[in-house]
Amino acid sequence: MSPVQRPPVKSAKTRVRRSSVSILCEPLLLEAATAIDEGRVDVASEILRRLSAVRNPMSNSKQKLMGYMLSALKSRVSPIDYPPPVAELFTEEHVSSVRSLYDLSRCFELSFAAANLAIWEAASEQPSTNKLHVIDFDIGREEQYDNLLDDLCRRRKRNQLTLKITALADSIIAAERLRMLKDRLSLYAAEKGVRLAFNIVRQKLSELSRDSLGCEPDEVLAVNLAFKLYRMPDESVSAENTRDELLRRVKGLAPQVVTLVEREMNGNTAPFPMRVEEALAYYGALLESIQSRFSWKSSERARAEEGLRWKLGNSVACEGRDRVERCEVFGKWRTRMGMAGFELKPLGRDVAKSYQEIVHCQGLCEITVKEENGGCCFRWLGRTLTVTSAWH
């Protein structure tokens, strides 16, 4: 073998050696999680101490994932020394990081688009009215409404459409952000020739009604629940069960369609070791999907990864009301929606097929779109990251 050929061989061995550190870390992290679940805190602490001594350059998605999980488990064992992320999830910085996450991951972006399609289909089922009212309990991706305005302008060329958006704000910071969005969307709607009414409402759950939200009898009413429900306490946290209470309140509004967009992750009531394993699998795929599109120097990618780190940390390190991250799989959402009185409006195989053609044309071979049990599933390398479904 010539000397010229040796450097690549050495570099390959180095890469194997570095990646093996991450591979070896995962079983130990799961072992630590099991020890924590069984009350063997001393064993878990020793495992985490040994892992902390291993150098982790955090230069790829696997290494970052291991670092995030190590920090989360250390917070779980020693919350005083390593405070878990709780307050961070309610800051404007976190809101910004989550918006970056929605923008950078194609699976999230496509799931919002599928929700828009369901809203448009509900409007098209009632051609006698040109009024569409969308109630949104947590506008996460502002571009969802840019795209909805584009769709309405393109598909309703004959009669001018009136789009009313009622956005609920749960804080002063959220209300200010929504006011900025209102100003921007108003200008964009004027360019598109769509009449836009944007109302910002601050109400308690018990106060929600058609009258309080400005619903009118001659409009198509849609409710957009995109990445809202998983952050609300359920029956495992509180007898109030605001998660199911919101669904019952929404059902009482009698909407023509409710769009539900959620992450496909069993992270609510699963046993702790399973929760850790699920978090490793889900957030590992999500990290890879982000890093595949943007270089490591991207500030937006860094912001999204920081939000992802907080999410993972909260889901693993916290319990009770402090654990805000409580994702469920689509099967459980189907049960909750059914208990609230909703019926599924299947998006259909044609919808999944059309989105699959879109990602294929864009050269995104890592993403697959598939209809399963009436929901539209968006997958990254075989792992379902998001599911969009429609209900009435």
Side-chain angles (χ1 to χ4, degrees), residues 140-157:
R141 187 170 192 267
E142 296 180 359
E143 288 75 7
Q144 177 179 5
Y145 289 98
D146 292 80
N147 296 335
L148 182 59
L149 284 168
D150 289 338
D151 291 342
L152 296 177
C153 177
R154 184 174 63 252
R155 302 186 191 210
R156 280 285 184 97
K157 292 182 178 180

Side-chain angles (χ1 to χ4, degrees), residues 109 112-124 131-136 139 141-156 161-166 184-185 188-189 192-198 220-224 257 259 355:
E109 183 182 344
F112 281 107
N116 276 355
L117 179 60
I119 292 172
W120 162 250
E121 288 182 345
S124 64
K131 295 181 180 180
L132 172 61
H133 184 183
V134 181
I135 298 173
D136 198 314
I139 297 181
R141 187 170 192 267
E142 296 180 359
E143 288 75 7
Q144 177 179 5
Y145 289 98
D146 292 80
N147 296 335
L148 182 59
L149 284 168
D150 289 338
D151 291 342
L152 296 177
C153 177
R154 184 174 63 252
R155 302 186 191 210
R156 280 285 184 97
L161 185 78
T162 297
L163 172 63
K164 183 195 299 182
I165 299 174
T166 299
R184 186 178 65 77
L185 280 181
Y188 193 64
K192 294 293 181 180
V194 176
R195 290 190 296 264
L196 175 66
F198 194 112
V220 176
L221 180 62
V223 175
N224 188 46
V257 66
T259 50
Y355 281 113

Side-chain angles (χ1 to χ4, degrees), residues 273-292:
M274 185 184 299
R275 214 162 79 210
V276 170
E277 186 174 10
E278 180 79 348
L280 285 170
Y282 183 90
Y283 287 110
L286 187 51
L287 264 173
E288 288 179 0
S289 72
I290 295 173
Q291 293 188 351
S292 68

Side-chain angles (χ1 to χ4, degrees), residues 6 38 79 101 114 133 151 154 183 190 204 207 216 222 253 299 311 345 350 360 377 386 388:
R6 287 176 185 170
E38 295 174 351
L101 180 62
H133 184 183
D151 291 342
R154 184 174 63 252
D183 293 341
K204 295 179 181 179
E207 298 172 344
E216 300 175 12
L253 300 176
S299 59
K311 283 178 172 292
K345 291 184 68 173
D350 290 341
H360 178 74
C377 304
T386 59
T388 299

Side-chain angles (χ1 to χ4, degrees), residues 309-339:
R309 180 176 71 85
W310 286 335
K311 283 178 172 292
L312 183 150
N314 182 267
S315 67
V316 170
C318 301
E319 290 297 346
R321 288 189 177 273
D322 286 342
R323 181 151 66 90
V324 179
E325 295 287 314
R326 293 180 172 274
C327 297
E328 295 185 326
V329 295
F330 183 52
K332 290 187 177 181
W333 290 121
R334 281 175 58 103
T335 300
R336 287 191 186 278
M337 296 297 285
M339 290 174 61

